[in-house]
PDB file of all heavy atoms in Angstrom:
ATOM      1  N   CYS A   1       0.777  -1.282  -0.056  1.00 71.00           N
ATOM      2  CA  CYS A   1       0.059   0.026  -0.124  1.00 71.00           C
ATOM      3  C   CYS A   1       0.781   1.264   0.071  1.00 71.00           C
ATOM      4  O   CYS A   1       0.436   2.281  -0.720  1.00 71.00           O
ATOM      5  CB  CYS A   1      -0.961  -0.066   1.202  1.00 71.00           C
ATOM      6  SG  CYS A   1      -2.362  -1.097   0.904  1.00 71.00           S
ATOM      7  N   THR A   2       1.945   1.236   0.738  1.00 73.00           N
ATOM      8  CA  THR A   2       2.938   2.364   0.739  1.00 73.00           C
ATOM      9  C   THR A   2       3.435   2.639  -0.678  1.00 73.00           C
ATOM     10  O   THR A   2       3.602   3.900  -1.113  1.00 73.00           O
ATOM     11  CB  THR A   2       4.016   2.261   1.816  1.00 73.00           C
ATOM     12  OG1 THR A   2       3.314   1.985   3.090  1.00 73.00           O
ATOM     13  CG2 THR A   2       4.946   3.459   1.896  1.00 73.00           C
ATOM     14  N   ALA A   3       3.957   1.516  -1.309  1.00 76.00           N
ATOM     15  CA  ALA A   3       4.498   1.663  -2.608  1.00 76.00           C
ATOM     16  C   ALA A   3       3.408   2.260  -3.521  1.00 76.00           C
ATOM     17  O   ALA A   3       3.650   3.053  -4.430  1.00 76.00           O
ATOM     18  CB  ALA A   3       5.000   0.297  -3.082  1.00 76.00           C
ATOM     19  N   PHE A   4       2.229   1.755  -3.454  1.00 73.00           N
ATOM     20  CA  PHE A   4       1.083   2.135  -4.285  1.00 73.00           C
ATOM     21  C   PHE A   4       0.895   3.615  -4.042  1.00 73.00           C
ATOM     22  O   PHE A   4       0.622   4.378  -4.983  1.00 73.00           O
ATOM     23  CB  PHE A   4      -0.047   1.303  -4.049  1.00 73.00           C
ATOM     24  CG  PHE A   4      -1.269   1.624  -4.981  1.00 73.00           C
ATOM     25  CD1 PHE A   4      -1.219   1.279  -6.392  1.00 73.00           C
ATOM     26  CD2 PHE A   4      -2.374   2.282  -4.508  1.00 73.00           C
ATOM     27  CE1 PHE A   4      -2.222   1.565  -7.168  1.00 73.00           C
ATOM     28  CE2 PHE A   4      -3.373   2.693  -5.505  1.00 73.00           C
ATOM     29  CZ  PHE A   4      -3.379   2.204  -6.726  1.00 73.00           C
ATOM     30  N   TRP A   5       0.842   4.083  -2.819  1.00 72.00           N
ATOM     31  CA  TRP A   5       0.631   5.442  -2.403  1.00 72.00           C
ATOM     32  C   TRP A   5       1.719   6.345  -3.042  1.00 72.00           C
ATOM     33  O   TRP A   5       1.531   7.459  -3.608  1.00 72.00           O
ATOM     34  CB  TRP A   5       0.519   5.587  -0.888  1.00 72.00           C
ATOM     35  CG  TRP A   5       0.395   6.955  -0.465  1.00 72.00           C
ATOM     36  CD1 TRP A   5      -0.710   7.825  -0.703  1.00 72.00           C
ATOM     37  CD2 TRP A   5       1.305   7.736   0.290  1.00 72.00           C
ATOM     38  NE1 TRP A   5      -0.485   9.010  -0.014  1.00 72.00           N
ATOM     39  CE2 TRP A   5       0.873   9.012   0.574  1.00 72.00           C
ATOM     40  CE3 TRP A   5       2.583   7.447   0.814  1.00 72.00           C
ATOM     41  CZ2 TRP A   5       1.385   9.939   1.232  1.00 72.00           C
ATOM     42  CZ3 TRP A   5       3.227   8.393   1.372  1.00 72.00           C
ATOM     43  CH2 TRP A   5       2.656   9.598   1.750  1.00 72.00           C
ATOM     44  N   LEU A   6       2.977   5.809  -2.969  1.00 77.00           N
ATOM     45  CA  LEU A   6       4.158   6.648  -3.467  1.00 77.00           C
ATOM     46  C   LEU A   6       3.999   6.808  -4.958  1.00 77.00           C
ATOM     47  O   LEU A   6       4.425   7.912  -5.557  1.00 77.00           O
ATOM     48  CB  LEU A   6       5.482   6.069  -3.128  1.00 77.00           C
ATOM     49  CG  LEU A   6       5.775   6.235  -1.530  1.00 77.00           C
ATOM     50  CD1 LEU A   6       7.003   5.365  -1.285  1.00 77.00           C
ATOM     51  CD2 LEU A   6       5.967   7.707  -1.196  1.00 77.00           C
ATOM     52  N   ILE A   7       3.562   5.774  -5.741  1.00 80.00           N
ATOM     53  CA  ILE A   7       3.490   5.802  -7.206  1.00 80.00           C
ATOM     54  C   ILE A   7       2.302   6.666  -7.684  1.00 80.00           C
ATOM     55  O   ILE A   7       2.372   7.523  -8.536  1.00 80.00           O
ATOM     56  CB  ILE A   7       3.397   4.370  -7.642  1.00 80.00           C
ATOM     57  CG1 ILE A   7       4.732   3.666  -7.422  1.00 80.00           C
ATOM     58  CG2 ILE A   7       3.028   4.394  -9.218  1.00 80.00           C
ATOM     59  CD1 ILE A   7       4.699   2.229  -7.690  1.00 80.00           C
ATOM     60  N   THR A   8       1.087   6.485  -6.913  1.00 77.00           N
ATOM     61  CA  THR A   8      -0.092   7.084  -7.471  1.00 77.00           C
ATOM     62  C   THR A   8      -0.545   8.355  -6.720  1.00 77.00           C
ATOM     63  O   THR A   8      -1.277   9.106  -7.148  1.00 77.00           O
ATOM     64  CB  THR A   8      -1.309   6.211  -7.364  1.00 77.00           C
ATOM     65  OG1 THR A   8      -1.539   5.736  -5.971  1.00 77.00           O
ATOM     66  CG2 THR A   8      -1.056   4.770  -8.115  1.00 77.00           C
ATOM     67  N   ASP A   9       0.241   8.684  -5.661  1.00 72.00           N
ATOM     68  CA  ASP A   9      -0.220   9.816  -4.846  1.00 72.00           C
ATOM     69  C   ASP A   9      -1.547   9.870  -4.415  1.00 72.00           C
ATOM     70  O   ASP A   9      -2.217  10.817  -4.398  1.00 72.00           O
ATOM     71  CB  ASP A   9       0.229  11.065  -5.704  1.00 72.00           C
ATOM     72  CG  ASP A   9       0.412  12.273  -4.664  1.00 72.00           C
ATOM     73  OD1 ASP A   9       0.882  12.085  -3.467  1.00 72.00           O
ATOM     74  OD2 ASP A   9       0.341  13.446  -5.042  1.00 72.00           O
ATOM     75  N   LEU A  10      -1.970   8.696  -3.943  1.00 67.00           N
ATOM     76  CA  LEU A  10      -3.369   8.552  -3.446  1.00 67.00           C
ATOM     77  C   LEU A  10      -3.507   9.154  -2.162  1.00 67.00           C
ATOM     78  O   LEU A  10      -2.601   9.209  -1.245  1.00 67.00           O
ATOM     79  CB  LEU A  10      -3.657   6.962  -3.223  1.00 67.00           C
ATOM     80  CG  LEU A  10      -5.141   6.448  -3.221  1.00 67.00           C
ATOM     81  CD1 LEU A  10      -5.840   6.671  -4.449  1.00 67.00           C
ATOM     82  CD2 LEU A  10      -5.212   5.131  -2.732  1.00 67.00           C
ATOM     83  N   PRO A  11      -4.702   9.909  -1.757  1.00 69.00           N
ATOM     84  CA  PRO A  11      -4.851  10.462  -0.557  1.00 69.00           C
ATOM     85  C   PRO A  11      -4.731   9.457   0.640  1.00 69.00           C
ATOM     86  O   PRO A  11      -5.080   8.248   0.501  1.00 69.00           O
ATOM     87  CB  PRO A  11      -6.262  11.138  -0.452  1.00 69.00           C
ATOM     88  CG  PRO A  11      -6.879  10.499  -1.640  1.00 69.00           C
ATOM     89  CD  PRO A  11      -5.835  10.016  -2.624  1.00 69.00           C
ATOM     90  N   LEU A  12      -4.297   9.849   1.756  1.00 61.00           N
ATOM     91  CA  LEU A  12      -4.042   8.997   3.049  1.00 61.00           C
ATOM     92  C   LEU A  12      -5.434   8.236   3.394  1.00 61.00           C
ATOM     93  O   LEU A  12      -5.333   7.002   3.694  1.00 61.00           O
ATOM     94  CB  LEU A  12      -3.478   9.685   4.015  1.00 61.00           C
ATOM     95  CG  LEU A  12      -3.051   8.930   5.282  1.00 61.00           C
ATOM     96  CD1 LEU A  12      -1.920   7.893   4.822  1.00 61.00           C
ATOM     97  CD2 LEU A  12      -2.516   9.770   6.368  1.00 61.00           C
ATOM     98  N   PRO A  13      -6.591   8.772   3.411  1.00 65.00           N
ATOM     99  CA  PRO A  13      -7.786   7.980   3.818  1.00 65.00           C
ATOM    100  C   PRO A  13      -8.006   6.824   2.840  1.00 65.00           C
ATOM    101  O   PRO A  13      -8.420   5.723   3.231  1.00 65.00           O
ATOM    102  CB  PRO A  13      -8.940   8.988   3.747  1.00 65.00           C
ATOM    103  CG  PRO A  13      -8.257  10.384   4.044  1.00 65.00           C
ATOM    104  CD  PRO A  13      -6.980  10.217   3.423  1.00 65.00           C
ATOM    105  N   GLY A  14      -7.599   7.051   1.477  1.00 69.00           N
ATOM    106  CA  GLY A  14      -7.802   5.941   0.518  1.00 69.00           C
ATOM    107  C   GLY A  14      -6.914   4.887   0.827  1.00 69.00           C
ATOM    108  O   GLY A  14      -7.095   3.763   0.644  1.00 69.00           O
ATOM    109  N   LEU A  15      -5.626   5.327   1.253  1.00 68.00           N
ATOM    110  CA  LEU A  15      -4.614   4.340   1.464  1.00 68.00           C
ATOM    111  C   LEU A  15      -4.919   3.497   2.733  1.00 68.00           C
ATOM    112  O   LEU A  15      -4.860   2.188   2.715  1.00 68.00           O
ATOM    113  CB  LEU A  15      -3.276   5.086   1.841  1.00 68.00           C
ATOM    114  CG  LEU A  15      -2.169   4.050   2.371  1.00 68.00           C
ATOM    115  CD1 LEU A  15      -1.715   3.102   1.153  1.00 68.00           C
ATOM    116  CD2 LEU A  15      -1.039   4.932   2.802  1.00 68.00           C
ATOM    117  N   ILE A  16      -5.530   4.124   3.808  1.00 67.00           N
ATOM    118  CA  ILE A  16      -5.955   3.323   4.897  1.00 67.00           C
ATOM    119  C   ILE A  16      -7.178   2.522   4.673  1.00 67.00           C
ATOM    120  O   ILE A  16      -7.103   1.302   5.051  1.00 67.00           O
ATOM    121  CB  ILE A  16      -6.276   4.338   6.057  1.00 67.00           C
ATOM    122  CG1 ILE A  16      -5.011   5.021   6.539  1.00 67.00           C
ATOM    123  CG2 ILE A  16      -6.970   3.629   7.253  1.00 67.00           C
ATOM    124  CD1 ILE A  16      -5.362   6.201   7.532  1.00 67.00           C
ATOM    125  N   GLY A  17      -8.071   2.935   3.883  1.00 72.00           N
ATOM    126  CA  GLY A  17      -9.193   2.113   3.427  1.00 72.00           C
ATOM    127  C   GLY A  17      -8.689   0.929   2.644  1.00 72.00           C
ATOM    128  O   GLY A  17      -9.168  -0.174   2.892  1.00 72.00           O
ATOM    129  N   GLY A  18      -7.990   1.210   1.692  1.00 72.00           N
ATOM    130  CA  GLY A  18      -7.391   0.104   0.888  1.00 72.00           C
ATOM    131  C   GLY A  18      -6.562  -1.042   1.750  1.00 72.00           C
ATOM    132  O   GLY A  18      -6.667  -2.130   1.576  1.00 72.00           O
ATOM    133  N   LEU A  19      -5.757  -0.451   2.742  1.00 72.00           N
ATOM    134  CA  LEU A  19      -5.031  -1.391   3.678  1.00 72.00           C
ATOM    135  C   LEU A  19      -6.075  -2.264   4.297  1.00 72.00           C
ATOM    136  O   LEU A  19      -5.738  -3.385   4.610  1.00 72.00           O
ATOM    137  CB  LEU A  19      -4.103  -0.513   4.668  1.00 72.00           C
ATOM    138  CG  LEU A  19      -3.368  -1.312   5.708  1.00 72.00           C
ATOM    139  CD1 LEU A  19      -2.287  -2.108   4.962  1.00 72.00           C
ATOM    140  CD2 LEU A  19      -2.804  -0.240   6.540  1.00 72.00           C
ATOM    141  N   MET A  20      -7.020  -1.679   4.981  1.00 69.00           N
ATOM    142  CA  MET A  20      -8.014  -2.427   5.680  1.00 69.00           C
ATOM    143  C   MET A  20      -8.725  -3.520   4.769  1.00 69.00           C
ATOM    144  O   MET A  20      -8.930  -4.623   5.317  1.00 69.00           O
ATOM    145  CB  MET A  20      -9.032  -1.490   6.404  1.00 69.00           C
ATOM    146  CG  MET A  20      -8.405  -0.730   7.393  1.00 69.00           C
ATOM    147  SD  MET A  20      -9.550   0.634   8.192  1.00 69.00           S
ATOM    148  CE  MET A  20     -10.788  -0.308   8.825  1.00 69.00           C
ATOM    149  N   ALA A  21      -9.064  -3.066   3.600  1.00 75.00           N
ATOM    150  CA  ALA A  21      -9.774  -3.890   2.687  1.00 75.00           C
ATOM    151  C   ALA A  21      -8.908  -5.090   2.333  1.00 75.00           C
ATOM    152  O   ALA A  21      -9.303  -6.397   2.371  1.00 75.00           O
ATOM    153  CB  ALA A  21     -10.280  -3.192   1.537  1.00 75.00           C
ATOM    154  N   ALA A  22      -7.631  -4.784   1.911  1.00 71.00           N
ATOM    155  CA  ALA A  22      -6.713  -5.869   1.600  1.00 71.00           C
ATOM    156  C   ALA A  22      -6.452  -6.819   2.764  1.00 71.00           C
ATOM    157  O   ALA A  22      -6.340  -7.955   2.587  1.00 71.00           O
ATOM    158  CB  ALA A  22      -5.321  -5.311   1.217  1.00 71.00           C
ATOM    159  N   GLN A  23      -6.233  -6.315   3.972  1.00 70.00           N
ATOM    160  CA  GLN A  23      -6.002  -7.199   5.181  1.00 70.00           C
ATOM    161  C   GLN A  23      -7.207  -8.026   5.415  1.00 70.00           C
ATOM    162  O   GLN A  23      -7.187  -9.166   5.713  1.00 70.00           O
ATOM    163  CB  GLN A  23      -5.837  -6.368   6.347  1.00 70.00           C
ATOM    164  CG  GLN A  23      -5.067  -7.183   7.525  1.00 70.00           C
ATOM    165  CD  GLN A  23      -3.780  -7.761   7.166  1.00 70.00           C
ATOM    166  OE1 GLN A  23      -3.109  -7.176   6.432  1.00 70.00           O
ATOM    167  NE2 GLN A  23      -3.663  -9.022   7.571  1.00 70.00           N
ATOM    168  N   ALA A  24      -8.369  -7.515   5.370  1.00 70.00           N
ATOM    169  CA  ALA A  24      -9.681  -8.257   5.420  1.00 70.00           C
ATOM    170  C   ALA A  24      -9.762  -9.347   4.416  1.00 70.00           C
ATOM    171  O   ALA A  24     -10.159 -10.552   4.707  1.00 70.00           O
ATOM    172  CB  ALA A  24     -10.926  -7.448   5.455  1.00 70.00           C
ATOM    173  N   GLY A  25      -9.437  -9.094   3.195  1.00 70.00           N
ATOM    174  CA  GLY A  25      -9.346 -10.075   2.174  1.00 70.00           C
ATOM    175  C   GLY A  25      -8.406 -11.112   2.357  1.00 70.00           C
ATOM    176  O   GLY A  25      -8.701 -12.319   2.277  1.00 70.00           O
ATOM    177  N   LEU A  26      -7.237 -10.869   2.840  1.00 64.00           N
ATOM    178  CA  LEU A  26      -6.183 -11.809   3.231  1.00 64.00           C
ATOM    179  C   LEU A  26      -6.725 -12.720   4.320  1.00 64.00           C
ATOM    180  O   LEU A  26      -6.478 -14.008   4.371  1.00 64.00           O
ATOM    181  CB  LEU A  26      -4.918 -11.162   3.666  1.00 64.00           C
ATOM    182  CG  LEU A  26      -4.053 -10.564   2.357  1.00 64.00           C
ATOM    183  CD1 LEU A  26      -2.914  -9.748   2.957  1.00 64.00           C
ATOM    184  CD2 LEU A  26      -3.661 -11.582   1.438  1.00 64.00           C
ATOM    185  N   LEU A  27      -7.172 -12.205   5.413  1.00 65.00           N
ATOM    186  CA  LEU A  27      -7.792 -12.965   6.477  1.00 65.00           C
ATOM    187  C   LEU A  27      -8.900 -13.823   6.097  1.00 65.00           C
ATOM    188  O   LEU A  27      -9.128 -15.000   6.590  1.00 65.00           O
ATOM    189  CB  LEU A  27      -8.097 -12.104   7.748  1.00 65.00           C
ATOM    190  CG  LEU A  27      -6.920 -11.351   8.384  1.00 65.00           C
ATOM    191  CD1 LEU A  27      -7.374 -10.575   9.518  1.00 65.00           C
ATOM    192  CD2 LEU A  27      -5.963 -12.528   8.807  1.00 65.00           C
ATOM    193  N   GLY A  28      -9.737 -13.273   5.115  1.00 61.00           N
ATOM    194  CA  GLY A  28     -11.045 -13.996   4.813  1.00 61.00           C
ATOM    195  C   GLY A  28     -10.613 -15.216   3.975  1.00 61.00           C
ATOM    196  O   GLY A  28     -11.252 -16.287   3.974  1.00 61.00           O
ATOM    197  N   SER A  29      -9.391 -15.164   3.230  1.00 59.00           N
ATOM    198  CA  SER A  29      -8.982 -16.254   2.339  1.00 59.00           C
ATOM    199  C   SER A  29      -7.978 -17.055   2.968  1.00 59.00           C
ATOM    200  O   SER A  29      -7.270 -17.736   2.280  1.00 59.00           O
ATOM    201  CB  SER A  29      -8.479 -15.780   0.971  1.00 59.00           C
ATOM    202  OG  SER A  29      -7.302 -14.958   1.187  1.00 59.00           O
ATOM    203  N   ARG A  30      -7.893 -17.075   4.353  1.00 60.00           N
ATOM    204  CA  ARG A  30      -7.005 -17.714   5.079  1.00 60.00           C
ATOM    205  C   ARG A  30      -7.003 -19.215   4.857  1.00 60.00           C
ATOM    206  O   ARG A  30      -8.091 -19.738   4.950  1.00 60.00           O
ATOM    207  CB  ARG A  30      -7.069 -17.394   6.530  1.00 60.00           C
ATOM    208  CG  ARG A  30      -6.094 -17.774   7.387  1.00 60.00           C
ATOM    209  CD  ARG A  30      -6.351 -17.197   8.785  1.00 60.00           C
ATOM    210  NE  ARG A  30      -5.575 -17.934   9.774  1.00 60.00           N
ATOM    211  CZ  ARG A  30      -6.022 -18.542  10.768  1.00 60.00           C
ATOM    212  NH1 ARG A  30      -7.377 -18.408  11.023  1.00 60.00           N
ATOM    213  NH2 ARG A  30      -5.304 -19.239  11.549  1.00 60.00           N
ATOM    214  N   ARG A  31      -5.864 -19.750   4.587  1.00 64.00           N
ATOM    215  CA  ARG A  31      -5.775 -21.219   4.356  1.00 64.00           C
ATOM    216  C   ARG A  31      -5.560 -21.996   5.697  1.00 64.00           C
ATOM    217  O   ARG A  31      -4.548 -21.733   6.354  1.00 64.00           O
ATOM    218  CB  ARG A  31      -4.592 -21.580   3.422  1.00 64.00           C
ATOM    219  CG  ARG A  31      -4.701 -20.810   2.010  1.00 64.00           C
ATOM    220  CD  ARG A  31      -3.592 -21.118   1.073  1.00 64.00           C
ATOM    221  NE  ARG A  31      -2.310 -20.858   1.922  1.00 64.00           N
ATOM    222  CZ  ARG A  31      -1.076 -21.105   1.364  1.00 64.00           C
ATOM    223  NH1 ARG A  31      -1.132 -21.508   0.149  1.00 64.00           N
ATOM    224  NH2 ARG A  31      -0.076 -20.806   2.019  1.00 64.00           N
TER     225      ARG A  31
END
């Protein structure tokens, strides 16, 4: 998410939302 933020200059709330969504997705697909 930090690399994506540095490349795209996404606002910080979008970064935090993306981080939470990605983490929820990772935990939801937990093997």
Side-chain angles (χ1 to χ4, degrees):
C1 285
T2 303
F4 186 72
W5 176 66
L6 289 173
I7 292 170
T8 62
D9 205 24
L10 195 73
L12 192 57
L15 175 68
I16 293 172
L19 176 66
M20 291 172 62
Q23 194 61 39
L26 285 171
L27 291 177
S29 66
R30 197 168 154 238
R31 299 178 310 177

